[in-house]
């Protein structure tokens, strides 16, 4: 309890929130590295994932590459890239490390979002005369968006947690109090820095959970909240609820 009280005293000390190494500055550095890494990873992984999900080609390669990237230890990769690139390129080495960490989750979210769509919906879109580009833009991407946002959500949390190791190579971020506290045996600093990282992760998790919920297409959102459909009465109702016509209605909702 004394350590926890000391950590809160350190966090609430006004001196920690002012100056050249203030916690606000470290928070800004932490968020900057996270945003840059996730944005670059999204530029690489989202088009590739959409191409894999739409065509069905290259999925095995993507799974293998994603698994390999997840198996590489981020700390070891950061140190290796810093040694290879040199001390003048430490920020670039850190960003590359975090980009490689973020790509697997975003890539998986992009192609699984398209693969999860009912094939009857795609067939109905083709039957209505939509081109492959229109199917991708107006049907597959909107319907697969929730899983893509889920992949972004996972990537953001992983990167935000891993950016703490950037302080080990003097790049700042919220890991700096943790590294400095360990060197100085100031465990109140260590715990305070860890609490800040945990609080940041919780805030990002809540924001991305809200974004994932809002990414569900409006038609599907209203359908899911309306409860189960009533039992059809008669053969005409049975015909009206065939999978083919349900796919047609899904496409119509997406196009509108």
């Amino acid at each position: 309890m004394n350590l926890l009280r000391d950590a809160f005293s350190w966090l609430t000390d006004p001196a920690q929130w002012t100056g050249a190494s203030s916690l606000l500055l470290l928070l800004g550095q932490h968020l900057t590295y996270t945003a840059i890494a996730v944005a670059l990873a999204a530029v690489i992984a989202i088009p590739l994932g959409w191409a894999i999900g739409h065509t069905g080609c290259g999925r095995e390669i993507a799974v293998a590459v994603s698994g390999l990237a997840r198996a590489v230890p981020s700390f070891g990769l950061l140190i290796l890239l810093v040694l290879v690139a040199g001390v003048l390129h430490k920020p670039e080495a850190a960003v590359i490390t975090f980009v490689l960490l973020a790509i697997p989750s975003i890539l998986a979210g992009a192609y699984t979002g398209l693969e999860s769509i009912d094939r009857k919906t795609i067939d109905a879109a083709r039957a209505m005369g939509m081109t492959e580009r229109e199917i991708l833009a107006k049907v597959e991407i909107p319907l697969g968006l929730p899983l893509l946002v889920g992949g972004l959500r996972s990537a953001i949390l992983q990167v935000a947690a891993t950016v703490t190791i950037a302080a080990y190579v003097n790049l700042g971020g919220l890991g700096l109090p943790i590294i400095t506290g360990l060197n100085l045996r100031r465990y109140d600093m260590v715990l305070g820095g860890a609490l800040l990282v945990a609080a940041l992760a919780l805030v990002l998790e809540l924001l991305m959970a809200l974004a994932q919920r809002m990414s569900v297409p409006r038609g599907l959102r209203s359908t899911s909240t309306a409860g189960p459909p009533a039992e059809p009465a008669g053969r005409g109702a049975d015909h009206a609820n065939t999978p083919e016509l349900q796919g047609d209605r899904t496409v119509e909702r997406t196009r509108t």
Side-chain angles (χ1 to χ4, degrees):
M1 290 298 295
N2 290 334
L3 180 59
L4 186 61
R5 185 176 62 249
D6 292 342
F8 276 108
S9 298
W10 180 82
L11 283 172
T12 55
D13 186 356
Q16 306 301 331
W17 299 91
T18 58
S21 298
S22 68
L23 293 177
L24 283 177
L25 177 62
L26 297 180
L27 175 62
Q29 293 173 344
H30 204 101
L31 290 174
T32 299
Y33 280 120
T34 302
I36 291 175
V38 174
L40 291 176
V43 169
I44 297 170
I46 291 177
L48 182 59
W50 282 345
I52 294 172
H54 180 70
T55 62
C57 300
R59 186 182 187 279
E60 293 78 9
I61 298 176
V63 171
V65 171
S66 297
L68 179 63
R70 285 173 173 161
V72 176
S74 301
F75 183 76
L77 180 61
L78 174 62
I79 299 301
L80 175 63
L81 291 177
V82 168
L83 292 176
V84 171
V87 295
L88 297 179
H89 299 284
K90 288 189 293 185
E92 292 87 342
V95 169
I96 292 173
T97 301
F98 304 142
V99 167
L100 293 177
L101 175 66
I103 283 178
S105 296
I106 301 176
L107 180 62
Y111 72 73
T112 56
L114 270 59
E115 287 183 343
S116 65
I117 301 172
D118 191 347
R119 292 298 99 185
K120 294 184 177 67
T121 303
I122 308 300
D123 294 339
R126 291 195 177 99
M128 295 176 65
M130 297 178 69
T131 65
E132 292 300 316
R133 181 175 297 181
E134 288 176 333
I135 293 173
L136 177 63
K138 296 181 179 181
V139 178
E140 291 182 316
I141 291 178
L143 293 178
L145 191 58
L147 285 180
L148 172 59
V149 177
L152 287 168
R153 175 181 175 181
S154 177
I156 289 173
L157 292 177
Q158 289 176 2
V159 173
T162 310
V163 167
T164 53
I165 67 175
Y168 191 82
V169 290
N170 298 322
L171 291 178
L174 292 178
L176 185 60
I178 299 175
I179 301 298
T180 304
L182 287 174
N183 292 332
L184 299 176
R185 295 176 182 262
R186 287 281 310 276
Y187 299 112
D188 56 336
M189 291 178 60
V190 176
L191 181 56
L195 289 174
L196 283 176
V197 174
L200 176 61
L202 286 175
V203 171
L204 292 174
E205 166 69 12
L206 291 174
L207 292 175
M208 292 306 299
L210 178 61
Q212 187 172 7
R213 182 175 181 180
M214 296 301 296
S215 66
V216 178
R218 184 178 302 175
L220 296 181
R221 203 184 314 160
S222 60
T223 301
S224 61
T225 58
E231 279 295 323
R235 297 181 59 184
D238 290 337
H239 178 71
N241 286 282
T242 57
E244 291 78 6
L245 293 184
Q246 287 176 351
D248 291 342
R249 288 197 292 270
T250 302
V251 173
E252 287 294 340
R253 287 198 303 269
T254 306
R255 296 184 71 179
T256 57

